[in-house]
Amino acid sequence: MELGIGMFGDLAFDQTTGKYRNAGIKIREILEQVKLMDELGIDVFAMGEHHRADYAVSSPEIVLAAAASITKNIKLASGVTVLSSSEPVKVYEDFATLDLISDGRAEIFVGRGSFIESFPLYGYSLNDYEELFDEKLELLLKINAEENVSWSGKLRAPMQNQTVYPRAKNNGKIPIWRAVGGTPQSVLSAAQLGMPLVVAIIGGMPIQFKNLIEFYKQEYLKAGHDEATMQIAIHSHTFVSDEKEVVDGYFHNYKSQMDRIGSSRGWAPYTKMQYEGGRVKDGALFIGNANEVADKINYMKEIFGITRFIGHMDVGDPAHDVMMKSIELFGEKTAPQVR
């Protein structure tokens, strides 16, 4: 099973100055952290896309390209590319370029994302929310499979025998994963297309997703795809420290981000009871010491049969030295136990 780390580039808010932390500093810290992941043998790094003041990264492909130049082995993925508001030709070109820079280490996780800021920002209507994604996914998959593309849809101009360059290393093909939050229709689409699946499990109890993942497996095989090529990942909030006081203190980082997001979505303030409840074996938070996190990942493999786990590790913008230690423990203690 592959082990990865994901980030959104969260920026802490300074109540004294009334400003978010400097995005440039945060991005440089992320690059130093990815370099450490590579040195530790972590398999995948996934970088999210957001268009808000509280996140540092709106162009994950640029951060990943910078990471490619200072790493050797780690796979570099978007986590996610908000395909509904992106141009599929440009997405392929950017990630094919990343693939060439990194010598074949690029991956794309496509999804709708959990925020909607990119739609008005890029001039798209939320009335076309579903159709935009479906149409753009169809085009992206076609570009990935064919050098000369002929295609037509409703919301984008058609392509007539047009070429898209440069081509990625593996005969032009980049691994494209479908990232979902739990919608059965999205899971069905991924299965029918034979796409690898990433399920974001960030709340409640992971066992609640078992039927959804079994549904994916069933429909994947029903569509005639080879079971040997099936790939399933989960992406969950993760933080590792062998010091209880550090784990307890991380609650404040986590709460700050949950409350900031929740304030616009009508959520009640995040509580310590929720935090501790999520940390138990059946909870969705992979937050604890290296052994506890390893045990929970192994439990996920047991109940889901996953082939990849990605720990989302910068929720609430922990300090750089704390992040580096969490990554170190994940790579040196948690990963060997899982493997």
Side-chain angles (χ1 to χ4, degrees):
M1 184 171 67
E2 290 184 311
L3 293 169
I5 291 174
M7 297 182 188
F8 281 175
D10 292 33
L11 293 171
F13 185 76
D14 189 326
Q15 298 287 348
T16 304
T17 63
K19 295 180 180 180
Y20 290 101
R21 196 158 74 89
N22 183 279
I25 294 173
K26 175 70 175 189
I27 291 171
R28 290 189 289 274
E29 289 176 354
I30 290 171
L31 293 175
E32 188 175 342
Q33 290 159 13
V34 180
K35 188 173 186 293
L36 176 61
M37 294 176 209
D38 187 55
E39 292 167 353
L40 293 168
I42 291 169
D43 300 299
V44 188
F45 172 66
M47 185 76 251
E49 171 194 340
H50 293 87
H51 304 268
R52 298 163 51 98
D54 49 348
Y55 294 103
V57 180
S58 61
S59 299
E61 54 273 22
I62 293 181
V63 176
L64 295 172
S69 68
I70 56 173
T71 58
K72 296 179 180 179
N73 299 304
I74 194 167
K75 294 176 182 177
L76 301 166
S78 58
V80 301
T81 293
V82 184
L83 191 59
S84 310
S85 56
S86 300
E87 164 51 50
V89 172
K90 190 70 167 67
V91 170
Y92 180 85
E93 290 175 337
D94 288 346
F95 280 88
T97 303
L98 169 63
D99 199 58
L100 297 177
I101 294 171
S102 65
D103 196 24
R105 292 186 278 134
E107 295 188 354
I108 310 172
F109 296 176
V110 295
R112 293 180 173 88
S114 59
F115 298 95
I116 59 172
E117 287 82 2
S118 62
F119 286 81
L121 187 65
Y122 291 135
Y124 291 102
S125 171
L126 285 169
N127 294 330
D128 300 322
Y129 185 81
E130 298 288 344
E131 196 168 14
L132 275 168
F133 183 86
D134 293 341
E135 188 171 286
K136 290 186 175 191
L137 178 60
E138 179 184 284
L139 178 53
L140 179 61
L141 293 176
K142 193 170 185 66
I143 294 168
N144 198 45
E146 303 172 12
E147 189 167 327
N148 297 302
V149 177
S150 293
W151 173 91
S152 63
K154 295 180 181 178
L155 300 172
R156 186 200 184 280
M159 296 180 68
Q160 297 295 334
N161 196 33
Q162 290 174 281
T163 54
V164 181
Y165 295 114
R167 302 303 295 175
K169 185 177 179 183
N170 183 29
N171 295 318
K173 296 178 177 60
I174 302 167
I176 301 176
W177 295 63
R178 177 73 182 265
V180 304
T183 306
Q185 187 57 42
S186 298
V187 172
L188 175 61
S189 172
Q192 291 175 336
L193 292 168
M195 297 180 69
L197 183 73
V198 185
V199 183
I201 303 179
I202 59 174
M205 298 170 65
I207 194 69
Q208 295 169 317
F209 288 80
K210 185 172 176 61
N211 288 341
L212 195 71
I213 291 177
E214 291 302 318
F215 175 59
Y216 169 79
K217 295 177 182 178
Q218 168 192 308
E219 295 300 322
Y220 184 96
L221 297 176
K222 186 187 293 186
H225 303 297
D226 185 356
E227 184 175 8
T229 65
M230 185 187 297
Q231 297 183 78
I232 302 169
I234 65 171
H235 187 128
S236 296
H237 291 166
T238 302
F239 177 79
V240 189
S241 176
D242 287 341
E243 299 178 38
K244 184 179 184 300
E245 59 271 26
V246 175
V247 172
D248 289 342
Y250 179 61
F251 165 73
H252 300 288
N253 296 82
Y254 198 84
K255 175 179 170 58
S256 68
Q257 188 70 355
M258 292 299 102
D259 287 350
R260 186 156 55 243
I261 295 170
S263 65
S264 62
R265 300 185 179 184
W267 299 350
Y270 192 79
T271 68
K272 189 67 180 293
M273 185 180 295
Q274 286 175 279
Y275 183 72
E276 295 301 337
R279 292 184 55 232
V280 303
K281 181 180 179 181
D282 294 324
L285 298 181
F286 292 72
I287 297 173
N289 65 46
N291 296 334
E292 291 170 335
V293 173
D295 288 345
K296 287 190 76 166
I297 296 172
N298 284 327
Y299 179 50
M300 294 302 102
K301 185 174 183 181
E302 179 184 326
I303 63 175
F304 295 134
I306 56 174
T307 59
R308 177 183 285 187
F309 174 85
I310 298 176
H312 185 109
M313 205 177 278
D314 70 337
V315 179
D317 192 16
H320 180 49
D321 61 332
V322 174
M323 280 290 296
M324 292 289 276
K325 187 62 179 180
S326 179
I327 292 165
E328 178 186 318
L329 289 168
F330 187 80
E332 292 186 347
K333 291 188 175 183
T334 299
Q337 292 186 54
V338 174
R339 291 176 177 140

